[in-house]
Amino acid sequence: MAKDVTLADIAAKVGVSNVAVYKALTDKPGVSARLREEIKGLAKEMGYTSAGAERVGSLKKTGNIGVIVPEQYYGYASSFYGQLYEKVIKALYRSEYFGILELLGPEDEKNLHMPKVMREEKVDGLIFLGQMDEKYIDLMIKQTRFPVFFLDTYVPFSTFDTVISDGYYGTYIMTRYLIGQGHRKIGFVGSVDANGSIADRFFGYRKALRESHIRYEESWEIPDRDERGNLFETILESGRGMDAFVCNCDLAAHALIQNLEGRGYRVPEDISVVGVDDFLPAGMDNTRIASYKVDMTGMAELCVKSLIKKMQGKKYVEGVQIVTGKIVCKKTVARRNPKTAGPGQEGE
């Protein structure tokens, strides 16, 4: 029966993407005349009638937006992504849409399984929230006819519509803040190869050091998590003779401070610590760590507004959109006389 034939069935037969099939069946630009005729002929042969093609081509208005979040990041309302999800839901509600949450399991991502809301076509558009594997991102873009936007997702050298925070500039400005307070031996806490977001923050830190003629040492790079993204309970067992540490997120900064103070160091009297994102889960003291505050509300609103424009066929900013934050000075930075820094730390 025609109702049993899907875009994926036709795409598999022809050897093209779902998007190409959709464009051919709805006479949209982007496929050659020869391919268009081939797809239409096969669709008819398989029982995919012209009425069915019209059904597929029409974006039926459900009033719903699918919000896909990797379950390893979500952690309910107490996590950064739980909070960001809530901002997205509020932004959708203000735009008269409802959000349908679907958690993406690690096996789903690894095996390139499409989210259920995509397969069952219960939404008008999709928001993917958080960092995902590049192959999975590529599949989601190519295999769905729905308008898609990503939020807090960044992969170097890939082209897709996404809204991200300015982690590069945020870490740069926090490192400059420490330098301005007289610190010279400044470590970076974060597993740089874990994802693109941490890598961006690391290079923002490196830029600040270089501009201030501070010679970077490899021992200053300190990992904070395992290959699955789980934060270490113990990041450092000693201060390593450092003046200060820039942490890729406040949660890592919180863990580092606990490690240092548990071994007799005083923060900030002995060692200063800063974070990036200005977020800690409920129950942790969010009044202490100096940080770069991520504008989660601004990110969510920009993502939702851009997706709706895309859904409506209106002009929007394609590719990467960056939302800046602001520095929040709190209690974990003390001024240090730069002359007290160890010898040989400043270079040409």
Side-chain angles (χ1 to χ4, degrees):
M1 298 293 292
K3 65 179 181 179
D4 295 325
V5 180
T6 66
L7 291 177
D9 295 329
I10 301 171
K13 287 278 188 181
V14 182
V16 296
S17 69
N18 289 13
V19 175
V21 175
Y22 163 65
K23 289 180 177 179
L25 294 177
T26 55
D27 291 318
K28 293 187 179 297
V31 295
S32 67
R34 182 189 62 78
L35 181 58
R36 189 185 308 277
E37 290 306 312
E38 180 184 354
I39 290 172
K40 285 186 174 182
L42 182 60
K44 185 175 181 180
E45 179 184 324
M46 295 174 69
Y48 205 97
T49 64
S50 58
E54 290 172 6
R55 175 180 57 79
V56 171
S58 64
L59 283 173
K60 61 180 181 180
K61 304 301 180 182
T62 67
N64 298 324
I65 301 294
V67 185
I68 316 300
V69 187
E71 64 180 15
Q72 69 186 92
Y73 296 134
Y74 184 65
Y76 303 97
S78 64
S79 72
F80 177 86
Y81 285 112
Q83 291 286 309
L84 188 54
Y85 167 74
E86 290 187 4
K87 306 289 186 186
V88 169
I89 293 302
K90 290 179 181 179
L92 287 171
Y93 183 77
R94 287 192 290 269
S95 297
E96 300 183 344
Y97 280 92
F98 294 98
I100 299 179
L101 172 66
E102 182 168 344
L103 297 182
L104 179 69
E107 290 302 313
D108 294 326
E109 186 175 351
K110 180 181 178 181
N111 296 319
L112 304 180
H113 293 157
M114 296 178 72
K116 187 176 181 180
V117 292
M118 289 177 66
R119 299 195 305 269
E120 297 185 356
E121 302 189 356
K122 293 182 176 180
V123 295
D124 302 326
L126 294 156
I127 294 174
F128 287 86
L129 199 165
Q131 206 65 29
M132 280 162 269
D133 183 83
E134 188 170 358
K135 290 181 180 179
Y136 193 81
I137 292 172
D138 187 57
L139 178 71
M140 294 306 102
I141 294 170
K142 291 181 177 178
Q143 295 297 314
T144 177
R145 69 181 183 88
F146 295 108
V148 174
F149 240 87
F150 291 81
L151 178 58
D152 202 44
T153 310
Y154 176 67
V155 177
F157 311 116
S158 293
T159 302
F160 56 92
D161 296 327
T162 184
V163 175
I164 62 173
S165 63
D166 199 347
Y168 177 89
Y169 175 74
T171 315
Y172 166 82
I173 200 171
M174 293 310 298
T175 308
R176 288 299 301 257
Y177 171 53
L178 288 172
I179 294 169
Q181 294 297 310
H183 299 80
R184 292 297 180 270
K185 299 174 66 176
I186 305 170
F188 178 84
V189 176
S191 297
V192 178
D193 295 327
N195 57 58
S197 176
I198 296 178
D200 277 356
R201 296 177 184 197
F202 173 71
F203 288 114
Y205 151 81
R206 289 290 303 275
K207 173 181 169 66
L209 294 183
R210 188 175 182 87
E211 283 185 352
S212 297
H213 305 292
I214 297 175
R215 188 173 67 243
Y216 168 76
E217 297 183 11
E218 288 188 7
S219 62
W220 293 4
E221 180 187 331
I222 299 141
D224 70 334
R225 63 195 68 196
D226 61 26
E227 65 277 1
R228 300 184 65 181
N230 299 313
L231 201 69
F232 296 143
E233 288 187 12
T234 301
I235 295 174
L236 271 182
E237 294 188 354
S238 74
R240 295 190 181 183
M242 306 299 288
D243 298 337
F245 292 97
V246 177
C247 300
N248 76 93
C249 64
D250 280 24
L251 195 57
H254 175 80
L256 176 67
I257 291 169
Q258 285 192 316
N259 292 165
L260 294 173
E261 292 184 337
R263 285 157 179 78
Y265 294 93
R266 298 171 302 162
V267 177
E269 291 84 357
D270 299 325
I271 300 174
S272 292
V273 177
V274 300
V276 177
D277 64 25
D278 191 40
F279 174 85
L280 285 175
M284 294 185 181
D285 182 5
N286 199 34
T287 66
R288 187 182 182 192
I289 300 171
S291 188
Y292 180 78
K293 186 177 183 66
V294 170
D295 185 0
M296 286 195 280
T297 299
M299 290 172 64
E301 290 179 349
L302 179 59
C303 181
V304 167
K305 288 178 181 177
S306 298
L307 174 62
I308 291 173
K309 287 181 180 179
K310 188 175 182 178
M311 289 163 46
Q312 295 173 342
K314 296 180 179 179
K315 186 176 181 180
Y316 70 95
V317 178
E318 299 183 31
V320 180
Q321 298 183 69
I322 301 174
V323 177
T324 58
K326 63 180 181 180
I327 187 171
V328 182
C329 301
K330 297 183 184 177
K331 306 173 183 177
T332 55
V333 176
R335 183 162 185 82
R336 174 183 290 256
N337 184 343
K339 293 182 179 180
T340 64
Q345 299 306 325
E346 297 190 44
E348 294 299 323

